[in-house]
């Protein structure tokens, strides 16, 4: 069993739909990152969370430390949101390294 | 936020040859890492690049296959040596700004390597 699991693995949506991607983890963490990977391979950091909720534009990230769960929401989705979204946690036992989920591939169609 | 310039962005290489990937950070980062992402898989940490000393390798990765240099706080290279088709992957470098649990992670643009 992976220490960081994401669902769904693949997601398709029509433009304008509300998107939710989930991340569950089994280890004690100090922070959780949501990352976006475009087809070329480069990764952009979207959020870093240690509690509560953060919002940036159409993106919202929440975390529930007690339940070991985080969600990434995209409101009014757009084809340019098509990418792989990766959840990564900074393990409390070794805060230098990140443990990555397997990613959620999102395709938004016009 | 820091910017990490990684090159090359992609390459097609013959088996048995070596490829060196470079990462340049626009400002100092406390730690730098090299990852491999095989097709359809998540990121796997190859090693932590230590400034001025030998890299710290994860289980399953060895210096002879993946030599790493980090001569200063803003530059690092990863060499994939004696390549085989199994080395076809995306290779990414990453840096931490700050220390401890709230260190912010930055990533390069990735190098998509195909070995034929």
């Amino acid at each position: 069993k992976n220490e960081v699991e994401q669902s769904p693995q693949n997601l398709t949506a029509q433009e304008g739909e509300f998107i939710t991607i989930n991340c569950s983890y089994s280890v004690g963490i100090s922070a959780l990152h949501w990352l976006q990977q475009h087809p070329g391979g480069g990764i952009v950091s979207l959020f870093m969370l240690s509690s509560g909720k953060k919002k940036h534009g159409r993106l919202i990230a929440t975390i529930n430390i007690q339940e070991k769960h985080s969600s990434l929401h995209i409101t009014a989705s757009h084809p340019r949101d098509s990418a792989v979204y990766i959840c990564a946690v900074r393990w409390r036992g070794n805060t230098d390294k990140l443990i990555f989920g397997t990613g959620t591939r999102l395709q938004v169609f016009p | 936020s820091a910017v990490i310039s990684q090159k090359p962005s992609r390459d097609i290489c013959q088996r048995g040859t070596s490829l060196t990937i470079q990462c340049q950070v626009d400002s100092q980062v406390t730690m730098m890492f090299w990852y491999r992402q095989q097709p359809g898989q998540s990121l796997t940490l190859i090693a932590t690049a230590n400034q001025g000393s030998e890299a710290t390798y994860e289980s399953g990765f060895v210096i002879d296959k993946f030599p790493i240099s980090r001569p200063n706080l803003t530059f690092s290279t990863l060499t994939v040596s004696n390549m085989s088709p199994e080395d076809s992957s995306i290779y990414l470098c990453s840096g931490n700004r700050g220390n401890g649990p709230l260190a912010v992670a930055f990533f390069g643009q990735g190098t998509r390597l195909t070995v034929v």
Side-chain angles (χ1 to χ4, degrees):
Chain A
K1 187 179 188 300
N2 293 331
E3 291 160 314
V4 182
E5 295 203 336
Q6 290 183 233
S7 63
Q9 285 188 308
N10 295 282
L11 185 56
T12 57
Q14 288 294 122
E15 184 173 357
E17 284 185 12
F18 181 82
I19 305 287
T20 296
I21 299 171
N22 296 299
C23 175
S24 297
Y25 51 90
S26 57
V27 296
I29 70 166
S30 55
L32 181 144
H33 294 251
W34 279 104
L35 310 169
Q36 182 189 54
Q37 185 173 31
H38 283 280
I43 289 178
V44 173
S45 181
L46 299 175
F47 294 104
M48 184 177 70
L49 294 162
S50 55
S51 65
K53 175 180 173 178
K54 286 190 176 179
K55 185 176 189 295
H56 182 72
R58 294 180 295 106
L59 302 178
I60 302 167
T62 64
I63 188 168
N64 186 318
I65 295 291
Q66 287 73 30
E67 294 186 4
K68 292 186 166 62
H69 182 268
S70 176
S71 293
L72 176 68
H73 305 285
I74 305 175
T75 62
S77 59
H78 190 276
R80 65 174 174 267
D81 297 326
S82 299
V84 175
Y85 292 84
I86 301 171
C87 169
V89 301
R90 203 172 286 285
W91 178 44
R92 200 182 294 147
N94 182 339
T95 56
D96 293 335
K97 301 178 185 179
L98 290 172
I99 306 171
F100 294 85
T102 52
T104 295
R105 183 175 299 277
L106 171 65
Q107 288 186 290
V108 182
F109 294 99
Chain B
S1 60
V3 173
I4 302 182
S5 298
Q6 181 174 343
K7 57 183 180 182
S9 59
R10 58 175 61 231
D11 208 341
I12 300 173
C13 299
Q14 295 290 324
R15 70 172 66 206
T17 62
S18 298
L19 176 72
T20 295
I21 303 167
Q22 299 181 1
C23 273
Q24 176 75 54
V25 191
D26 67 347
S27 55
Q28 291 181 357
V29 292
T30 48
M31 304 191 75
M32 290 185 76
F33 305 92
W34 287 96
Y35 294 92
R36 180 175 72 183
Q37 186 181 29
Q38 294 178 302
Q41 303 293 316
S42 186
L43 280 74
T44 300
L45 181 63
I46 297 172
T48 302
N50 299 309
Q51 190 234 335
S53 64
E54 191 172 291
T56 304
Y57 289 83
E58 297 297 305
S59 175
F61 297 97
V62 295
I63 187 171
D64 289 346
K65 176 66 177 177
F66 297 102
I68 289 170
S69 77
R70 189 181 175 195
N72 56 56
L73 287 173
T74 61
F75 185 78
S76 180
T77 66
L78 167 76
T79 299
V80 186
S81 302
N82 188 24
M83 288 184 284
S84 66
E86 292 72 35
D87 294 320
S88 298
S89 290
I90 296 174
Y91 292 85
L92 288 129
C93 64
S94 165
N96 280 359
R97 171 73 51 77
N99 289 307
L102 298 182
V104 181
F106 304 95
F107 293 84
Q109 300 94 328
T111 297
R112 187 179 292 273
L113 170 63
T114 303
V115 184
V116 297

